[in-house]
């Protein structure tokens, strides 16, 4: 694969979704279609009919990605994303009702690719959510993901749902630092095109604000013609836009990258996965199904975190 093709993939799959606030699907699809028209290899998961392929678990592409394998982590055949059966509504907590009210309020955006549900003027088409209490105040933050677009993070303040930040989407785990004994949320991202893009990031919350760092980054082609390695892709003080613009200064050799991953693996242990819930909110036709799954997801979180 030519380097220029991989950079097109990186640009339209990552940058296009990050340079707009949580990525409006209309603009992103146009960008991806432009890539498809100018490349021999399409981006997996995007079709001419705007259908999104089912979410996949992390897997190697071409040359195996050198992503960390946490101490104590074992391969699991169980799909982490689950669609819940009907369960009783178990929570009367204020946050529970506020999130339901938030998801019940939307507008309809008409585009040449179809009509979409739009939330908070940011999120256009929802596929998965996660719930995790980043600041341990008893109220879980709500992570909303829409396919190749960004994951938007929401919380509750003064009985209102508020937007906190956006991150690159991926599968989340709680990981313990064996030196400090601190548990932290890590997000592992693998995007597929003509090769692969891998990121490992961590998330925390301080004084009501998201602290987001991207520790490792790897760009790999399917035929091994290009493999690029990056360390400290984004520090806590940068925006995503600034980090992606300045990433050339973070590039390292393969040897340096492998040494950094080895040191990371020695110092960290996976504690558990964070459940990702399938909640399809695409248009008015899918709203009832999506809302039912969303409410079940809230209940499942409550029952497993009492």
């Amino acid at each position: 694969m030519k380097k220029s093709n991989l950079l097109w993939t990186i640009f339209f799959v990552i940058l296009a979704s990050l340079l707009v606030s949580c990525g409006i699907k209309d603009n992103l699809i146009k960008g991806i279609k432009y890539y498809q028209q100018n490349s021999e290899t399409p981006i997996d998961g995007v079709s001419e009919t705007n259908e999104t392929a089912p979410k996949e678990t992390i897997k190697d592409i071409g040359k195996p990605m050198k992503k960390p394998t946490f101490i104590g982590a074992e391969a699991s055949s169980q799909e982490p994303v689950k669609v819940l059966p009907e369960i009783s509504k178990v929570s009367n907590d204020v946050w529970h009702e506020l999130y339901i009210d938030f998801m019940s309020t939307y507008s309809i955006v008409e585009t040449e690719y179809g009509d979409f549900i739009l939330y908070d003027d940011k999120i256009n088409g929802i596929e998965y959510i996660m719930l995790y209490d980043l600041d341990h105040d008893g109220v879980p933050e709500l992570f909303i993901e829409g396919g190749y677009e960004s994951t938007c993070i929401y919380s509750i303040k003064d009985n209102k749902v508020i937007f906190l930040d956006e991150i690159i989407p991926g599968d989340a785990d709680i990981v313990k630092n064996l030196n400090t004994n601190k548990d932290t949320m890590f997000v592992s991202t693998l995007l597929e095109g003509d090769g692969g893009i891998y990121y490992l990031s961590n998330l925390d919350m301080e004084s009501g604000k998201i602290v987001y760092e991207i520790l490792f980054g790897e760009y790999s082609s399917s035929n091994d013609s290009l493999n690029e390695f990056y360390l400290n892709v984004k520090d806590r003080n940068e925006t995503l836009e600034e980090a992606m613009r300045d990433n050339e200064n973070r590039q390292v050799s393969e040897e340096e990258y492998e040494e950094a991953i080895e040191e990371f693996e020695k110092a960290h242990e996976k504690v558990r996965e964070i459940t990702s819930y399938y909640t399809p909110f695409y248009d008015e036709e899918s709203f009832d199904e999506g809302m039912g799954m969303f409410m079940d997801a809230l209940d499942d979180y409550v029952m497993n975190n009492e």
Side-chain angles (χ1 to χ4, degrees), residues 68-117:
T69 301
F70 298 118
I71 298 172
E74 296 180 355
S76 173
S77 60
Q78 182 178 4
E79 171 61 49
V81 176
K82 59 181 178 181
V83 178
L84 297 171
E86 287 193 18
I87 54 178
S88 61
K89 305 299 177 281
V90 298
S91 175
N92 293 318
D93 292 337
V94 172
W95 68 261
H96 190 276
E97 300 304 320
L98 288 174
Y99 281 147
I100 292 174
D101 289 343
F102 175 75
M103 298 301 292
S104 301
T105 305
Y106 60 87
S107 56
I108 298 295
V109 176
E110 297 180 358
T111 76
E112 60 183 297
Y113 306 111
D115 297 345
F116 300 104
I117 287 179

Side-chain angles (χ1 to χ4, degrees), residues 57-272:
T57 54
I58 291 178
K59 61 182 181 181
D60 295 333
I61 304 177
K63 182 177 181 180
M65 290 288 183
K66 295 173 177 59
K67 52 187 178 290
T69 301
F70 298 118
I71 298 172
E74 296 180 355
S76 173
S77 60
Q78 182 178 4
E79 171 61 49
V81 176
K82 59 181 178 181
V83 178
L84 297 171
E86 287 193 18
I87 54 178
S88 61
K89 305 299 177 281
V90 298
S91 175
N92 293 318
D93 292 337
V94 172
W95 68 261
H96 190 276
E97 300 304 320
L98 288 174
Y99 281 147
I100 292 174
D101 289 343
F102 175 75
M103 298 301 292
S104 301
T105 305
Y106 60 87
S107 56
I108 298 295
V109 176
E110 297 180 358
T111 76
E112 60 183 297
Y113 306 111
D115 297 345
F116 300 104
I117 287 179
L118 179 66
Y119 285 98
D120 197 28
D121 293 327
K122 296 180 176 68
I123 310 167
N124 191 225
I126 297 172
E127 290 187 335
Y128 301 93
I129 68 158
M130 295 186 295
L131 294 157
Y132 180 67
D133 189 357
L134 279 170
D135 56 357
H136 308 291
D137 65 350
V139 176
E141 276 59 56
L142 174 63
F143 297 76
I144 301 178
E145 177 188 336
Y148 281 104
E149 302 173 32
S150 302
T151 291
C152 292
I153 308 173
Y154 289 84
S155 190
I156 292 174
K157 182 178 181 181
D158 298 328
N159 285 332
K160 293 182 180 179
V161 177
I162 60 170
F163 171 75
L164 294 178
D165 207 344
E166 58 178 321
I167 64 172
I168 299 174
D171 297 320
D173 299 296
I174 302 304
V175 176
K176 182 184 293 294
N177 185 315
L178 300 178
N179 296 322
T180 64
N181 210 37
K182 180 182 178 180
D183 290 349
T184 303
M185 179 179 179
F186 277 77
V187 178
S188 183
T189 303
L190 186 62
L191 301 177
E192 296 179 79
D194 190 355
I197 305 169
Y198 172 73
Y199 291 112
L200 181 67
S201 56
N202 63 26
L203 277 169
D204 210 339
M205 198 167 173
E206 296 179 1
S207 302
K209 295 183 178 181
I210 296 295
V211 178
Y212 179 48
E213 299 174 306
I214 304 176
L215 306 182
F216 298 95
E218 181 179 349
Y219 304 152
S220 176
S221 62
S222 57
N223 60 4
D224 266 0
S225 61
L226 175 65
N227 290 283
E228 295 179 352
F229 307 94
Y230 297 83
L231 295 178
N232 303 316
V233 178
K234 179 192 178 301
D235 66 35
R236 60 190 292 142
N237 298 316
E238 292 177 301
T239 65
L240 275 170
E241 180 180 349
E242 291 169 343
M244 293 298 169
R245 234 183 4 230
D246 192 38
N247 67 353
E248 289 185 2
N249 296 328
R250 326 293 172 90
Q251 189 170 356
V252 298
S253 68
E254 184 174 357
E255 182 180 1
E256 291 177 275
Y257 188 82
E258 290 178 338
E259 288 177 356
I261 284 185
E262 184 178 352
E263 290 301 314
F264 178 87
E265 291 175 342
K266 291 178 181 177
H268 293 83
E269 179 179 83
K270 178 178 173 179
V271 177
R272 64 178 177 88

Side-chain angles (χ1 to χ4, degrees), residues 284-299:
E284 288 187 296
E285 292 182 2
S286 63
F287 176 81
D288 288 343
E289 178 186 14
M291 178 56 73
M293 292 183 176
F294 180 78
M295 295 173 69
D296 288 345
L298 298 186
D299 290 337

